Amino acid sequence: MAAVHRVIAERHGFDPMLTDAYNEFDSIEEMKMVSAIFSAMDVFLGGVGLVTLGLGAVGIINIMLVSVTERTREIGVLKAIGATKRSILSQFFWEGLLLTGISD
């Protein structure tokens, strides 16, 4: 870099020790800076995505909790006619999955 600065100074007639004689542009340094910015954006946007997924999961859990609470009588009837715990859970799971898929 010093040799380049010296050659440019000789050709344009200024002192090679003057650092403010002209602006230097180092594309490697610029690339490193842009890369650091994009890395920081990736981390930030990844964090935002994780928070969004977490909040969505909490919302779905709350909806399913309300659904189960409102349908305790139906669950009791299903148990009375011989439904297993697994079949009741799978019914709620598939119902929640279907509603989530339709709501997108």
Side-chain angles (χ1 to χ4, degrees):
M1 190 64 112
V4 170
H5 196 82
R6 189 180 64 248
V7 169
I8 291 173
E10 287 174 5
R11 289 191 181 179
H12 293 282
F14 62 87
D15 185 18
M17 302 309 272
L18 291 175
T19 57
D20 296 336
Y22 68 98
N23 290 331
E24 296 175 352
F25 180 77
D26 189 0
S27 61
I28 294 173
E29 289 298 321
E30 293 294 322
M31 183 189 69
K32 287 179 184 177
M33 184 175 67
V34 168
S35 177
I37 290 171
F38 278 117
S39 295
M41 285 177 59
D42 285 344
V43 170
F44 175 73
L45 293 175
V48 169
L50 285 174
V51 169
T52 302
L53 284 173
L55 291 175
V58 168
I60 290 173
I61 290 169
N62 284 336
I63 290 170
M64 294 309 296
L65 180 64
V66 168
S67 175
V68 170
T69 304
E70 290 177 350
R71 295 169 60 184
T72 52
R73 189 173 299 175
E74 178 186 340
I75 294 170
V77 170
L78 288 171
K79 282 187 173 185
I81 60 173
T84 63
K85 186 176 183 177
R86 185 179 178 136
S87 66
I88 295 170
L89 285 174
S90 67
Q91 176 186 350
F92 277 97
F93 172 75
W94 288 111
E95 182 179 318
L97 190 66
L98 179 71
L99 290 173
T100 303
I102 290 172
S103 68
D104 286 341

